[in-house]
Amino acid sequence: MSTHRPRLLRVLAIAATAAVLAVSGCGAKASDPTSEFHYALNAQPPLLDPLLSTATATAEVARLMFEPLLTQDADFQVQPHIAESWEESDDGKTTTFTIREGLTFHSGAPVTAEDVEASLDRWMEISGVGQQFFAGADVEVVGDREVAVHTPEKMYTLLYFLSDPGQMTAIMPKKVIDETPAEGLTEFVGTGPFVFDTWRTDQYIQLHRFEDYQSPEGEPSGLAGHREAKSDTLIIDLVTDSSTRLAGLQTGEYDAAAGIPFDNSGLLEKDTTLQSIVGENGFNGVAFNKKAGIMADNTMRNAVAAALDHEDIQLAAFAADEFYDVNGAISLPGQQFYTEAGLELFNQQDPDLAKQLMEEAGYNGEPVRILTSREYEDHYNSAVVVEENLKKAGFNTQMVVVDWATLLSMRADENAFELFTTGWSVNAVPVTQVFLLGSWPGWTDDDELSQAMNELTFAADDEAAAEANDRLQTRVYEYRPIIKYGNKRTIVGASVDAEGVQFVPGAGIVLWNAHMTK
């Protein structure tokens, strides 16, 4: 048994319509078993350890190699994965998970209860959600294929924490965990459909099919259901320039590519050799440095919020309103936790109020550094308008434009920025949003937010959870850990001969079934 005392201190039914979009063709022949599939990723992953990074690029690659205890389907509902079933005790403080029989790691070793225990230990110790919510939690092997999670109190949101794809409960061998340094994994041994081969920085990541892979059962839905590595080799080309990704699609160098510029959407539609996937992709915004500098002052953060025109920002980022909306809610309409509480403070478009708040805060022309990257063009284009809005209100702004990997490094330095641009996935429950966690860059630290998060996490029933969620979103708009611009969509381009490429809302690109039919 192991007890967690992390450095920092949530089963729901999500009524969301979260479509999974797949590239497919009618009457296509089976894939060549020795085929390669080339996918152009638009950002360099900072690392491939899914517990030490919240970067989308890391998650999209890591989920090909590693698999979680539980997962979520297209409707954000919890589904089995490494665990085939679970049972809750009468008092709700213990949940026992039964591991699927006969699973093996890429190394050939069987998956044991001790491996699952060690993996959950590591997740609770170093992931943002684990640190925030699992103080005092115990993980215990209670049978040959059974592992129990004990929590001090019944968690209304427990299963959603354990199935959250942002920093998944990646199951790996205990031996690997025991030998992993603090800097992160050096061996990438999981149970997923693909096995790690090599990573050439700034060039590509290569994986090959796991011949002994055992898929969960069921129709594919979101991150749940059947998986099959249909390509012998999967090559993830790291291509940060959007024009190069598009040209590679057109020439056939890439079979699919992320982050197609929105003003090129018409080109994809006209090209009979290509097809596009347009999917719900969370939301963009700016995160504040609340630990050091002038944005540690809540009044200054409210001044920034008052100065922004969200419609102009979204239009600059996404080119046409079919690719965005201007909605400030943390959840999507239709999800269980969608609420309009606090939205009277969203998209104020009031430069005069901004100036008044700046004066109240004693602003004296200190630089406001906006950290952004061109590798995500929507981030950069929105940052240009943010800077214009802030200058109009009287802020002394400085754009700091770097590559994405450098941005991820700089945003961990409290002396390097006032704002940074980024995006967030839509989650099943709002408390898993990383911008609410004190361990995430921006360093949220607010007693009222923490109280609302705990009230939702340990809610007695749906009504109490909804009330806590209203308080949570209202406090987000008062405290301003971030500014959300609105919801967004994304375009993934692919050859018409590609099948099995999925875009999953809340998670991103999924490639385990991807293959070429010709």
Side-chain angles (χ1 to χ4, degrees):
M1 179 182 292
S2 53
T3 301
H4 297 279
R5 293 179 176 83
R7 296 186 292 276
L8 304 168
L9 286 188
R10 246 175 257 280
V11 177
L12 309 176
I14 302 298
T17 302
V20 177
L21 304 173
V23 180
S24 60
C26 297
K29 63 182 181 181
S31 62
D32 178 355
T34 62
S35 66
E36 289 185 350
F37 191 92
H38 281 261
Y39 173 67
L41 184 60
N42 58 329
Q44 172 81 230
L47 68 171
L48 297 183
D49 189 330
L51 301 191
L52 288 182
S53 176
T54 59
T56 300
T58 295
E60 290 182 348
V61 178
R63 72 168 62 104
L64 297 165
M65 302 179 289
F66 299 106
E67 297 184 301
L69 184 73
L70 305 173
T71 194
Q72 295 177 12
D73 64 21
D75 294 322
F76 295 93
Q77 296 197 51
V78 175
Q79 298 294 341
H81 203 90
I82 294 296
E84 66 181 14
S85 62
W86 55 90
E87 183 176 353
E88 185 180 281
S89 63
D90 291 342
D91 64 5
K93 297 180 182 181
T94 296
T95 304
T96 302
F97 299 91
T98 300
I99 304 162
R100 286 162 52 207
E101 191 169 9
L103 291 176
T104 61
F105 290 111
H106 299 153
S107 62
V111 176
T112 68
E114 286 75 17
D115 296 317
V116 174
E117 177 193 35
S119 299
L120 294 179
D121 280 346
R122 184 172 189 261
W123 178 83
M124 291 181 184
E125 183 65 29
I126 67 177
S127 74
V129 170
Q131 291 181 0
Q132 185 80 15
F133 296 104
F134 283 81
D138 297 335
V139 185
E140 180 184 13
V141 173
V142 293
D144 290 342
R145 294 194 294 125
E146 287 78 38
V147 174
V149 174
H150 308 288
T151 56
E153 300 294 335
K154 178 180 179 178
M155 280 187 176
Y156 180 83
T157 51
L158 173 68
L159 297 184
Y160 270 98
F161 289 158
L162 296 175
S163 64
D164 184 77
Q167 287 182 298
M168 66 174 168
T169 53
I171 305 304
M172 58 191 72
K174 181 179 185 300
K175 180 178 184 295
V176 169
I177 293 171
D178 291 342
E179 297 173 355
T180 295
E183 295 76 23
L185 294 172
T186 56
E187 291 185 77
F188 307 106
V189 182
T191 61
F194 285 93
V195 180
F196 177 80
D197 282 335
T198 187
W199 178 9
R200 296 192 182 276
T201 304
D202 296 322
Q203 296 182 50
Y204 64 87
I205 298 166
Q206 181 170 312
L207 313 172
H208 71 267
R209 173 171 39 213
F210 180 27
E211 297 294 348
D212 294 326
Y213 178 66
Q214 296 188 47
S215 172
E217 298 179 350
E219 288 296 316
S221 174
L223 297 176
H226 182 71
R227 304 178 177 189
E228 181 181 357
K230 293 185 177 180
S231 293
D232 184 66
T233 303
L234 178 58
I235 298 175
I236 301 171
D237 296 288
L238 305 174
V239 188
T240 59
D241 180 71
S242 61
S243 60
T244 303
R245 292 195 302 276
L246 181 59
L249 267 181
Q250 293 172 313
T251 62
E253 181 179 3
Y254 309 129
D255 302 314
I260 300 301
F262 293 92
D263 53 9
N264 291 134
S265 61
L267 188 151
L268 288 184
E269 292 178 4
K270 294 176 183 177
D271 192 328
T272 58
T273 69
L274 301 176
Q275 55 184 310
S276 61
I277 309 166
V278 178
E280 295 288 343
N281 195 29
F283 53 92
N284 283 355
V286 289
F288 290 104
N289 179 353
K290 301 174 290 298
K291 190 174 185 180
I294 58 175
M295 293 302 162
D297 185 336
N298 196 176
T299 304
M300 284 294 291
R301 300 198 296 274
N302 280 316
V304 171
L308 300 186
D309 184 329
H310 292 232
E311 180 68 40
D312 284 354
I313 293 169
Q314 290 283 78
L315 183 60
F318 302 109
D321 59 12
E322 66 184 293
F323 300 121
Y324 71 87
D325 65 33
V326 182
N327 185 323
I330 298 174
S331 298
L332 290 174
Q335 285 188 280
Q336 178 178 353
F337 288 104
Y338 178 80
T339 178
E340 297 184 358
L343 294 189
E344 65 275 6
L345 298 176
F346 174 70
N347 194 21
Q348 294 168 296
Q349 302 180 50
D350 193 340
D352 291 335
L353 175 59
K355 291 175 182 178
Q356 175 187 328
L357 292 170
M358 291 158 65
E359 184 176 351
E360 290 178 11
Y363 179 63
N364 196 32
E366 295 89 345
V368 176
R369 294 164 294 176
I370 305 170
L371 184 59
T372 191
S373 175
R374 288 183 180 270
E375 291 182 25
Y376 289 94
E377 290 194 352
D378 51 332
H379 293 188
Y380 175 79
N381 292 337
S382 65
V384 170
V385 180
V386 168
E387 183 185 36
E388 292 172 354
N389 288 173
L390 295 184
K391 281 185 173 179
K392 181 179 179 181
F395 287 96
N396 174 22
T397 59
Q398 296 179 4
M399 287 271 280
V400 182
V401 184
V402 296
D403 63 82
W404 184 243
T406 300
L407 185 149
L408 294 176
S409 176
M410 290 180 66
R411 75 182 191 180
D413 180 357
E414 65 189 72
N415 298 310
F417 69 96
E418 278 65 55
L419 315 171
F420 70 86
T421 63
T422 191
W424 296 273
S425 297
V426 173
N427 296 348
V429 283
V431 288
T432 59
Q433 287 292 354
V434 292
F435 59 78
L436 297 174
L437 307 180
S439 57
W440 191 75
W443 306 286
T444 294
D445 183 10
D446 181 70
D447 290 343
E448 291 185 48
L449 266 181
S450 296
Q451 181 177 347
M453 292 166 69
N454 284 331
E455 289 173 352
L456 177 49
T457 298
F458 299 104
D461 51 35
D462 291 348
E463 182 178 357
E467 292 173 354
N469 184 59
D470 285 350
R471 290 191 291 274
L472 173 62
Q473 184 165 289
T474 298
R475 185 56 185 165
V476 165
Y477 275 92
E478 295 168 345
Y479 174 73
R480 306 274 189 194
I482 66 163
I483 296 175
K484 174 185 174 179
Y485 308 142
N487 297 314
K488 64 174 180 174
R489 292 161 193 98
T490 193
I491 302 175
V492 177
S495 165
V496 294
D497 297 321
E499 283 191 353
V501 180
Q502 297 176 315
F503 187 87
V504 178
I509 288 294
V510 171
L511 296 171
W512 43 66
N513 298 328
H515 64 284
M516 294 296 290
T517 61
K518 293 181 181 179

